[in-house]
Amino acid sequence: MPSNSRRGGRQVQIREDEESEEERPRNNQRRRRAAPESEEEEEEEEDDGEDEDDAAGDGRDLDREDSLDQAVKKLVRYALACEFQRLPITRTGIKEKVLGAQSRTFRSIFEPAQDSLRITFGMEMVELPVKENVTIKGRLKEASKKSKTTTTSSYILTSILPIEYRSPSIIQPSKVVSQWDEATYIGFYTTVVSVIMLSPDATMTDSKLMSVLRKLNADSNMPMDKTTLIFKKMMQQNYIIRTVEKNDGDEVIEWRVGPRGKMEIGTKGVQGLVKEVYGENAPEDLDKRLDRSLGLGKRKAAHLEGGGGVEAPEQNGGSSSRRVSRRGRPRREADDEDEDEDDE
């Protein structure tokens, strides 16, 4: 019995070995077939991963475009809000209220915002001139500074519409507070700025300005508020500047035109106001008088002496014009040539 069991065990083992030898080629074939399939699956997985990366990259680009568009819209809203309150659009305010914690630069959103303002609202941001230090103390303080900043720090909105579309019938005063009060305020600060600009060196003493206001019955009260409060408001909005200097113990108070007054009204605004006041009774030499009072003749002469053929643009509420001045032949040479032609 034991011998038979041993023989049976050996036969089973031999059969298993034979079966394993027969199955080896089959298993190898199966492995060979399975290997390409696994490689294809790995390639498909890699492709899927690349597609996911591309989709993530596209999503990031879209997020960047959306964030840029939102920043541009914020800058446009901020500019409109500042202009409504007649406040300067400062770069500090843009960084705080528009950019915030974003890493975007000022230049990346400034030009797109300018395009949006021009196309949608017919306005654009223009640089405000820097306040000049006219007092001795201010000039000494400015001279003591080693480095001077040349970058523009503030802007205002000005209209780019053609002149024919800027009439009061089209562009009416704001109705938010009161249309009458707004129109009265515009007329008052335009008059004050014009009177100061027509004075010698665009400077007016306090006593002389108050004398003019008394003649206009505007020395104490205006229809909407006290004159002192209106002057304070005009100084806050940079239409006018008040300087105080002590001379031998006496205070000398002078008034000058501020940055907003120069840009919003300018020399052409003053000329328009004076011509409107004169109406049909304007003298023939009114333009010459205005050029002399506003110092335009001196600017032209200084520019020509400097060798420039193009006149510097005038500040007139955002619109500037350049005129090319051509130098003609001297009259004496022209007369000599005419005499030569007569002799022939």
Side-chain angles (χ1 to χ4, degrees), residues 79 81-89 155-156 236-237 260:
C82 289
E83 186 59 29
F84 178 74
Q85 302 176 41
R86 291 188 173 92
L87 297 175
I89 306 164
Y155 304 82
I156 63 169
Q236 290 175 349
Q237 295 173 350
R260 178 176 280 273

Side-chain angles (χ1 to χ4, degrees), residues 78-116:
Y78 174 69
L80 293 173
C82 289
E83 186 59 29
F84 178 74
Q85 302 176 41
R86 291 188 173 92
L87 297 175
I89 306 164
T90 60
R91 297 188 72 159
T92 305
I94 293 172
K95 289 180 181 178
E96 292 177 355
K97 299 183 179 181
V98 177
L99 296 176
Q102 296 181 6
S103 59
R104 297 191 179 279
T105 59
F106 174 78
R107 294 180 181 178
S108 64
I109 64 171
F110 183 76
E111 285 303 326
Q114 284 279 64
D115 294 337
S116 179

Side-chain angles (χ1 to χ4, degrees), residues 10 26 37 66 106 137 190 251 279 335:
R10 289 177 183 175
R26 297 176 184 175
E37 293 178 357
D66 291 340
F106 174 78
K137 185 177 180 181
T190 303
E251 285 187 348
D335 293 340

Side-chain angles (χ1 to χ4, degrees), residues 248-295:
D248 296 334
D250 297 331
E251 285 187 348
V252 179
I253 302 174
E254 292 180 335
W255 294 93
R256 291 175 175 83
V257 180
R260 178 176 280 273
K262 293 178 181 178
M263 295 301 299
E264 185 176 323
I265 301 169
T267 55
K268 288 194 175 180
V270 175
Q271 290 173 337
L273 176 66
V274 174
K275 291 178 181 179
E276 190 70 22
V277 171
Y278 272 102
E280 297 178 355
N281 299 322
E284 295 180 357
D285 60 343
L286 180 60
D287 290 332
K288 293 182 180 179
R289 292 183 184 182
L290 287 172
D291 289 348
R292 185 168 57 252
S293 299
L294 294 171

Side-chain angles (χ1 to χ4, degrees), residues 228-258:
T228 54
L229 297 178
I230 296 175
F231 263 75
K232 186 177 180 180
K233 182 179 178 181
M234 290 168 61
M235 286 189 287
Q236 290 175 349
Q237 295 173 350
N238 288 322
Y239 283 109
I240 53 177
I241 299 173
R242 180 176 180 265
T243 59
V244 181
E245 275 192 293
K246 291 185 178 181
N247 187 9
D248 296 334
D250 297 331
E251 285 187 348
V252 179
I253 302 174
E254 292 180 335
W255 294 93
R256 291 175 175 83
V257 180

Side-chain angles (χ1 to χ4, degrees), residues 215-226:
K215 294 178 181 178
L216 297 174
N217 294 325
D219 57 329
S220 57
N221 289 300
M222 289 289 292
M224 60 281 198
D225 211 337
K226 292 183 178 180

Side-chain angles (χ1 to χ4, degrees), residues 192 195-197 199-214 231 241-243 251-256:
V192 173
V195 169
I196 296 174
M197 289 189 71
S199 302
D201 297 328
T203 305
M204 203 171 192
T205 60
D206 184 69
S207 59
K208 193 172 182 179
L209 180 58
M210 293 302 117
S211 175
V212 172
L213 293 178
R214 279 194 295 271
F231 263 75
I241 299 173
R242 180 176 180 265
T243 59
E251 285 187 348
V252 179
I253 302 174
E254 292 180 335
W255 294 93
R256 291 175 175 83

